[in-house]
Amino acid sequence: MAEPLPRHLLIPFAGRGSPACRAALPSLRLPNLESLLSRLSLVETDTQDESTRSPPHERALAAALGISAADGCIPWAALEARQIGIAEPGDREGWGLVSLCNWQVGIDDVVLGDPAAIEIDAAESAALLAAAHPFFEEDGIALHPSSTPGRWLARARIFNGLATASIDRAVGHPISQWSPLAEAARPLRRLQNEMQMLLYTQRVNDERAARGVPPINSFWLSGTGALQADPAPAKPAPTVSDALRVAALRDDGPGWAQAWQALDAGPVAGLLADYTAGADITLTLCGDRAAQRYAVQQRGLAGWAKSLFDRPRAANVLEGL
């Protein structure tokens, strides 16, 4: 019989410090997660404060993929460009992710809406890219479609070393809190203003208004940097679950708890079954501040006895993230 394949499950937003999600923590019942935690050993913790531009789940994923980068400079755009074949293996040029989004204008500030919620299709994305292309080109930025509608890949030297905040940090917060402040970002802020005026005039937004969906009125830049070397990923590459993301970013406590229970009954239960079958498994739990990686390690008799009678409560572990 073949050996079970190793597996690594990475869960972003496993812990959340926003009020409603935090209030939901004590009532969480996650038996499969607790069973796994009692059998695995904590092998690595990455703790930073919440001011980092790259959240814990992105740092953990980058590490697993063999990518080393400074805060806010994990080159997700360069990696995607390499994966879809528009960047050659030796390409060291800077890339950035341009995510079309809805900026929500309030009385006191402008808040970034979640780009994943704007319901843009491939035709709309292509039409807006064609309209935006000359404006970016004037600043020496080449635009390419990505594999996700509403997101473009941008290539330019300006993105080398430019720290930008992940969308997962910025959604729901004032734009000013997370916009790049470096002097190098000044042309990008001007370009953002030009794009706001351009998008306002686009037929795509007229049609979106008729459908009753939010207008696309700006973009968010993230994932900037260059792949300095060919990544050497760990094996196995993580499976990333986005099941908790939407509820966490909306601070929907009941929705987050419900999503966690479904995750526990599905992928987490599957990981536990793989462990029982003898697979080499890894579990990474990520919150606002920390990522904790758990793996199979040999234990003595005392360690096994402790795991049987001192089962960790999931809520206590998640609260520490």
Side-chain angles (χ1 to χ4, degrees):
M1 182 179 293
E3 287 285 324
L5 293 174
R7 285 192 57 206
H8 182 180
L9 178 63
L10 190 153
I11 305 178
F13 302 105
R16 186 68 168 163
S18 54
C21 291
R22 196 168 188 83
L25 262 177
S27 63
L28 277 181
R29 298 293 177 264
L30 306 173
N32 293 308
L33 177 61
E34 291 182 350
S35 186
L36 262 180
L37 292 173
S38 70
R39 289 163 168 78
L40 302 178
S41 298
L42 177 61
V43 295
E44 184 178 17
T45 299
D46 167 25
T47 302
Q48 305 287 337
D49 61 37
E50 294 174 56
S51 67
T52 57
R53 297 178 179 90
S54 301
H57 57 272
E58 292 193 7
R59 299 197 301 268
L61 180 58
L65 296 177
I67 297 172
S68 177
D71 181 46
C73 295
I74 302 176
W76 298 123
L79 181 64
E80 183 176 345
R82 178 84 58 87
Q83 289 171 337
I84 66 176
I86 60 175
E88 297 297 324
D91 186 352
R92 298 291 181 263
E93 186 68 276
W95 291 80
L97 289 174
V98 176
S99 298
L100 297 174
C101 56
N102 173 252
W103 284 13
Q104 301 162 0
V105 181
I107 297 174
D108 298 321
D109 50 41
V110 179
V111 172
L112 178 65
D114 186 359
I118 62 174
E119 301 177 29
I120 185 172
D121 60 31
E124 289 177 323
S125 184
L128 293 177
L129 187 149
H133 190 274
F135 291 84
F136 280 79
E137 194 172 43
E138 283 183 10
D139 285 310
I141 301 171
L143 283 183
H144 304 267
S146 82
S147 55
T148 303
R151 195 170 73 185
W152 307 329
L153 298 170
R155 185 175 188 265
R157 187 170 300 173
I158 191 174
F159 301 133
N160 269 322
L162 178 66
T164 53
S166 164
I167 284 173
D168 287 346
R169 279 296 200 212
V171 164
H173 295 282
I175 298 297
S176 58
Q177 181 176 337
W178 290 107
S179 290
L181 299 177
E183 182 64 24
R186 183 175 292 180
L188 295 171
R189 291 195 290 272
R190 175 183 50 74
L191 181 59
Q192 212 160 34
N193 291 334
E194 291 174 350
M195 281 296 295
Q196 286 174 321
M197 291 184 284
L198 173 70
L199 290 168
Y200 181 77
T201 67
Q202 292 302 297
R203 181 177 177 181
V204 164
N205 272 326
D206 295 335
E207 294 169 348
R208 290 176 63 83
R211 298 204 316 267
V213 294
I216 297 166
N217 56 15
S218 194
F219 68 85
W220 190 257
L221 179 69
S222 62
T224 43
L227 279 173
Q228 298 302 329
D230 291 334
K235 296 194 182 306
T239 297
V240 181
S241 171
D242 282 330
L244 306 174
R245 182 182 184 276
V246 171
L249 290 178
R250 294 177 180 174
D251 194 25
D252 174 5
W256 181 74
Q258 185 176 15
W260 237 129
Q261 287 163 349
L263 188 59
D264 187 71
V268 175
L271 197 66
L272 178 59
D274 289 341
Y275 170 86
T276 304
D280 182 11
I281 68 166
T282 303
L283 173 68
T284 301
L285 300 174
C286 307
D288 297 334
R289 293 166 288 123
Q292 295 183 346
R293 182 165 60 88
Y294 296 83
V296 179
Q297 288 195 329
Q298 293 294 327
R299 300 185 186 183
L301 184 60
W304 282 114
K306 185 176 186 296
S307 72
L308 290 173
F309 296 103
D310 187 23
R311 176 174 292 194
R313 284 203 64 221
N316 294 340
V317 173
L318 302 181
E319 189 174 18
L321 300 173

